[in-house]
Amino acid sequence: MKQVIQLNINGEPHEVMAEPHDTLLGVLREDLGLMGTKQGCDTGGCGCCTVLLDGQAVYSCMLFAMAAQGRKITTIEGLKSNGKLDPLQEAFIQTGAVQCGYCTCGMILAAKSFLSESPSPSDEQIRGGIAGNLCRCTGYQKIVDAIRMAATRG
């Protein structure tokens, strides 16, 4: 049975009707049209559905929407500020780390959470920080370069 839930997404309140088993990923994409959060494996294995929940990276395919009530949810759409891309988004573009783009949103949000806890990481630490996010296109070097670039810019 659907229930009204209230979610704080990208700094704005949203009220949606959700079933108890609806995932946050489904509500974001299907009910709110926030398509930046990608649907991948639906088992928490690829990371393309990563969002920030109170600043921590979580797989939105593994989280019931009802459990996100009262928490601050940030999607890729919520990273830009005052019309400017987040430094991580800029760095991904500048280093060519976007590739096909399917994993990019999850990678950027995982990196955002990681850099908030490790602002000056080594390349090895960066690789560990994004270990739960898969890129199926190419290697990870450009992604690591982008995260390092964003870290050095603060």
Side-chain angles (χ1 to χ4, degrees):
M1 175 181 229
K2 287 193 173 195
Q3 301 175 21
V4 176
I5 62 170
Q6 297 177 358
L7 300 172
N8 180 332
I9 303 169
N10 301 328
E12 296 181 9
H14 294 269
E15 191 172 280
V16 296
M17 297 289 293
E19 296 280 353
H21 61 271
D22 286 344
T23 65
L24 181 59
L25 172 65
V27 169
L28 291 172
R29 289 183 59 86
E30 297 163 20
D31 297 318
L32 299 173
L34 296 170
M35 305 304 270
T37 306
K38 304 297 186 219
Q39 182 175 14
C41 67
D42 282 335
T43 61
C46 72
C48 69
C49 67
T50 301
V51 298
L52 301 180
L53 189 68
D54 295 332
Q56 297 296 307
V58 298
Y59 300 142
S60 62
C61 73
M62 302 296 293
L63 181 68
F64 293 124
M66 290 185 175
Q69 291 187 98
R71 316 276 300 271
K72 181 180 172 190
I73 302 160
T74 305
T75 69
I76 195 71
E77 292 91 346
L79 277 191
K80 75 177 178 185
S81 176
N82 297 323
K84 292 181 66 176
L85 295 177
D86 184 89
L88 268 166
Q89 292 170 308
E90 289 284 353
F92 268 67
I93 293 168
Q94 291 175 358
T95 60
V98 174
Q99 301 167 29
C100 85
Y102 206 79
C103 72
T104 304
C105 301
M107 285 283 185
I108 288 173
L109 289 167
K112 186 80 175 171
S113 175
F114 169 70
L115 289 178
S116 72
E117 296 177 3
S118 301
S120 301
S122 67
D123 283 8
E124 183 178 334
Q125 290 170 321
I126 291 171
R127 290 179 185 277
I130 59 169
N133 293 69
L134 301 178
C135 174
R136 294 177 174 91
C137 293
T138 64
Y140 290 81
Q141 190 57 51
K142 290 183 179 181
I143 294 169
V144 172
D145 293 346
I147 296 169
R148 184 180 345 96
M149 177 186 284
T152 59
R153 291 179 176 171

